[in-house]
Amino acid sequence: MSELETQPWPEATAESGAKPDVPAEGAPAAGFALPQEELERLTADIVAALKTVYDPEIPADIYELGLIYKIDIGENREVAIEMTLTAPGCPVAGEMPQWVEDAVNAVPGVSGTKVTLTFDPPWDQNRMSDEARLALNMF
């Protein structure tokens, strides 16, 4: 399974043209990236939340199936998730993005979630983790 990309927003600097306000200790001001510890905690909690979402026809969670392509966490703790489905005609295609949004929005510290479906690249079985392969007897 490939690693997820998590991209904090760039820090504000005089060079970027953004106003270089100094954040209060432990809480970054607008324009400043999240502290690394906070980013790591949020990422782990988001992944745990994603592992609670299952395709009803497959006994493995969407994270282990490799349906999550990208997680971006913004400085304001808004989360953008790019995901796919096992097939464009998936019977829960209209519902699963909402399930993902609801699961991630329940994570403490997340201020909002936007889920984008993509089929580029298309999902294939090589994206599944060993855990998913074991659950589906695909060894």
Side-chain angles (χ1 to χ4, degrees):
M1 169 151 240
S2 62
E3 289 187 17
L4 292 176
E5 297 174 30
T6 56
Q7 301 173 354
W9 292 81
E11 292 187 354
T13 64
E15 294 171 9
S16 70
K19 193 172 183 179
D21 293 327
V22 178
E25 187 173 309
F32 287 83
L34 290 173
Q36 188 62 32
E37 287 178 10
E38 176 72 3
L39 183 61
E40 289 172 4
R41 183 196 64 77
L42 272 176
T43 300
D45 291 350
I46 289 166
V47 168
L50 292 169
K51 288 182 168 208
T52 68
V53 180
Y54 285 76
D55 182 319
E57 298 178 337
I58 303 172
D61 67 75
I62 63 169
Y63 184 82
E64 296 299 335
L65 284 172
L67 300 181
I68 303 299
Y69 286 175
K70 189 175 186 181
I71 298 172
D72 285 329
I73 302 171
E75 65 191 29
N76 56 2
R77 293 173 174 76
E78 286 192 8
V79 179
I81 295 180
E82 185 175 294
M83 67 173 291
T84 194
L85 302 170
T86 55
C90 177
V92 294
E95 300 168 55
M96 192 172 293
Q98 186 63 51
W99 298 343
V100 170
E101 184 177 322
D102 292 345
V104 175
N105 280 339
V107 172
V110 169
S111 63
T113 305
K114 179 182 178 190
V115 178
T116 304
L117 271 180
T118 185
F119 295 99
D120 184 28
W123 179 85
D124 65 41
Q125 294 177 1
N126 293 328
R127 295 185 173 277
M128 292 190 309
S129 70
D130 289 344
E131 182 178 317
R133 290 178 195 282
L134 184 62
L136 298 172
N137 292 320
M138 296 185 76
F139 277 106

